[in-house]
């Protein structure tokens, strides 16, 4: 399949929308995460607990998904990979939602 100059023109609206919508979403996410991590640990261990939680989550979210996506792409090909990679991301999102909902609320609890 040959590609022409119109291929880049068709993706411009998507690229522009990504540049406008992605940064505010990430700002909201990255603003809330430190508070969520730290409130679940006693004051004495707060920095260590938050750091460990962040580092472990980076291994599973930042390292494992790209490796798995690459393996999926290699095994099923470019035409079908987006379905399986999308499902993989959905599983991770559902696991994250479950983890957030399963985390006990610390309001009114003395965790000092």
């Amino acid at each position: 399949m040959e590609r022409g100059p119109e291929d880049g023109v068709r993706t411009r609206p998507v690229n522009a929308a990504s540049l406008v919508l992605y940064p505010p979403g990430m700002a909201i996410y990255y603003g809330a995460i430190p508070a969520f991590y730290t409130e679940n640990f006693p004051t004495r261990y707060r920095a260590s607990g938050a750091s460990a939680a962040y580092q472990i989550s980076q291994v599973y979210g930042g390292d494992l998904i790209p490796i798995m996506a690459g393996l999926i792409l290699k095994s099923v090909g470019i035409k079908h990979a987006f379905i399986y990679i999308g499902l993989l991301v959905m599983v991770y999102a559902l696991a994250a939602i479950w983890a957030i909902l399963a985390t006990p609320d610390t309001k009114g609890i003395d965790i000092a």
Side-chain angles (χ1 to χ4, degrees), residues 15-35:
N15 292 339
S18 296
L19 290 173
V20 171
L21 298 174
Y22 186 72
M26 291 305 291
I28 291 168
Y29 169 77
Y30 277 113
I33 287 297

Side-chain angles (χ1 to χ4, degrees), residues 56-112:
I56 291 169
S57 67
Q58 289 302 306
V59 168
Y60 288 108
D63 295 339
L64 198 55
I65 282 190
I67 293 169
M68 292 172 65
L71 293 172
I72 290 170
L73 180 63
K74 185 178 179 182
S75 65
V76 298
I78 192 84
K79 289 186 178 183
H80 303 291
F82 72 94
I83 295 169
Y84 297 108
I85 293 171
L87 290 172
L88 176 66
V89 171
M90 286 174 46
V91 166
Y92 265 73
L94 290 173
I97 291 168
W98 174 81
I100 290 169
L101 294 175
T103 302
D105 188 10
T106 58
K107 183 178 179 182
I109 297 173
D110 184 21
I111 58 170

